[in-house]
Amino acid sequence: MKKLMLAVSVLLLNVPLAQAGDAKRGQELYQANCTRCHDTSIHARPNSIIHSLDGLKKRVQFCESNGRLNWSPEQIEDVAAYLNKTFYKFKE
Ligand code: HEC
């Protein structure tokens, strides 16, 4: 079962994106890759270091490269879209 789920997620991650900023894909990416150092509660903390959508994208990229995930620009957009929709709610 674990192997099957891995195969499915590898498949999902390799599907080319029709459009940038897919929050649903972003959520999957986040859950699979971003919870090693922090969980989502960091995005609801009162002293957040994120103050704009641009700042959010830059931080996602920063954390992504720290985690050596080798993401495409689309994957960064997806995760930024997910975090913005769910937590930060900056205007696009
Ligand atoms: C190598 C450890 C590490 C990994 C992996 C990591 N982060 Fe982080 N992240 C941090 C640390 C540490 C902070 C807090 C920085 C601070 O307080 O100055 C942080 C903070 C953030 C913030 C700002 C939170 C706020 O509102 O103040 C965002 C957004 C974020 N991370 C996104 C991500 C995403 C998306 C991923 C997956 C690609 C990810 N992080 C993976 C270490 C990590």
Side-chain angles (χ1 to χ4, degrees):
M1 188 59 192
K2 218 170 176 188
K3 259 190 181 157
L4 178 67
M5 278 168 63
L6 189 69
V8 168
S9 60
V10 166
L11 256 176
L12 283 174
L13 295 179
N14 284 331
V15 172
L17 277 174
Q19 67 188 62
D22 183 329
K24 194 172 175 302
R25 280 180 54 92
Q27 181 173 19
E28 287 161 9
L29 283 166
Y30 189 100
Q31 282 163 355
N33 300 286
C34 301
T35 55
R36 184 152 52 87
C37 302
H38 51 71
D39 65 13
T40 53
S41 66
I42 199 173
H43 308 300
R45 61 180 178 171
N47 57 337
S48 170
I49 55 170
I50 308 299
H51 306 292
S52 68
L53 187 56
D54 194 48
L56 174 60
K57 287 178 187 172
K58 289 204 171 99
R59 181 70 213 194
V60 171
Q61 189 159 30
F62 180 82
C63 275
E64 176 269 335
S65 55
N66 266 351
R68 299 180 196 282
L69 296 172
N70 257 324
W71 279 359
S72 67
E74 285 82 5
Q75 288 172 305
I76 290 165
E77 287 283 334
D78 288 349
V79 173
Y82 158 61
L83 291 178
N84 193 43
K85 195 177 159 201
T86 314
F87 301 101
Y88 296 104
K89 304 185 196 296
F90 298 117
K91 295 247 182 298
E92 302 271 333

